[in-house]
């Protein structure tokens, strides 16, 4: 068999590549991560009891918008990182936008309030619970996302891949925790939700090279 015949024989068994397969599997992983986080919160902490009040619904919706926006922006970024060399085509802007928007709203909220209220607005009543809960709840979503990336993709920037996986896990955890938390001020959300999600991102970046190694 000459070279041309070999090429022709190999080409007969080539099947079309499903370019959306990775995206579909990642979408499933994200759905599982969010559902798991909500389930853990529902079982371990419970859902806030004041959801009949319009104010509670509005502020919970703002927290959910931040958390869901974090998951969405990070997922878009990760979709590029999942392919070899994808870090050269990925922009961190999509992942940073929810944080920038929340920080801006928090600054406006503080600017419009008396300074005597700032401490309560920033610290709230549940800062310690938030500090512990979001990273702990994020463990299972992080495992789901990391497993999906490792078994379905080939990122070449393992630190970034781990960090963005941690960011997604932290965002998914915050989605669940927002259904429980009754501290509604935007400065609290910016500091404690944003800070704990950042912790998840840092830990993910540290674990990425070990967990995503080819």
């Amino acid at each position: 068999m000459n070279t041309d015949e070999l090429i022709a024989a190999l080409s007969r068994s080539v099947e079309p590549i499903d370019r959306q397969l990775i995206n579909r599997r990642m979408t499933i992983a994200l759905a599982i991560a969010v559902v798991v986080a909500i389930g853990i919160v529902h079982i371990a902490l419970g859902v806030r009891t004041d959801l009949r009040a319009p104010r509670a619904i509005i502020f919970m919706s703002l927290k959910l918008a931040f958390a869901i926006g974090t998951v969405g922006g990070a997922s878009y970024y990760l979709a590029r990182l999942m392919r070899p060399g994808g870090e050269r085509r990925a922009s961190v802007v999509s992942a940073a936008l929810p944080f920038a928007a929340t920080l801006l709203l928090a600054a406006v909220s503080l600017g419009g309030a008396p300074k005597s209220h700032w401490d309560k607005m920033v610290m709230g009543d549940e800062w310690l619970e938030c500090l512990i809960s979001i990273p702990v709840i994020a463990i299972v979503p992080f495992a789901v996302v990391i497993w999906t990336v490792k078994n379905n993709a080939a990122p070449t920037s393992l630190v970034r891949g781990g960090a963005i996986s941690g960011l997604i896990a932290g965002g998914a955890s915050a989605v669940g925790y927002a259904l429980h938390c009754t501290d509604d001020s935007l400065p609290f959300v910016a500091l404690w939700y944003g800070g704990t999600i950042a912790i998840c991102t840092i830990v993910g970046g540290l674990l990425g090279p070990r967990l995503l190694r080819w």
Side-chain angles (χ1 to χ4, degrees):
M1 181 181 290
N2 59 34
T3 303
D4 291 338
E5 290 173 337
L6 177 61
I7 294 173
L10 291 174
S11 65
R12 293 191 197 103
S13 60
V14 174
E15 297 180 359
I17 297 175
D18 186 351
R19 296 180 178 275
Q20 297 303 316
L21 179 62
I22 294 177
N23 290 338
R24 286 200 299 271
R25 289 180 177 175
M26 180 51 65
T27 300
I28 293 171
L30 294 175
I32 292 172
V34 172
V35 169
V36 166
I38 292 173
I40 292 173
V41 169
H42 181 72
I43 295 170
L45 300 174
V47 177
R48 59 188 296 174
T49 58
D50 60 348
L51 290 180
R52 293 183 179 181
R55 182 185 183 280
I57 294 175
I58 291 171
F59 281 98
M60 187 184 72
S61 298
L62 289 173
K63 288 187 284 189
L64 287 173
F66 168 59
I68 293 171
T70 298
V71 173
S75 301
Y76 177 80
Y77 188 69
L78 184 61
R80 295 178 177 270
L81 287 179
M82 288 172 71
R83 294 170 173 81
E87 66 275 6
R88 293 192 295 270
R89 298 180 290 108
S91 171
V92 76
V93 172
S94 61
L97 279 176
F99 290 88
T102 303
L103 284 172
L104 177 61
L105 291 174
V108 171
S109 178
L110 282 176
K115 289 186 178 181
S116 58
H117 292 180
W118 284 11
D119 183 63
K120 176 68 174 177
M121 293 173 68
V122 172
M123 300 304 294
D125 297 317
E126 300 174 0
W127 68 269
L128 182 58
E129 181 185 80
C130 182
L131 179 63
I132 296 172
S133 296
I134 289 181
V136 171
I137 295 167
I139 292 173
V140 177
F142 179 70
V144 171
V145 175
I146 282 288
W147 185 90
T148 303
V149 174
K150 183 175 179 62
N151 289 278
N152 295 279
T156 49
S157 179
L158 304 187
V159 174
R160 288 193 193 183
I164 299 302
S165 296
L167 178 59
I168 291 172
S173 176
V175 171
Y177 186 71
L179 301 176
H180 163 78
C181 178
T182 56
D183 275 320
D184 291 331
S185 77
L186 290 173
F188 179 91
V189 174
L191 177 60
W192 297 108
Y193 281 58
T196 50
I197 293 173
I199 291 172
C200 296
T201 304
I202 293 169
V203 172
L206 294 173
L207 294 177
R210 177 178 298 181
L211 299 177
L212 296 176
R213 187 181 300 142
W214 295 10

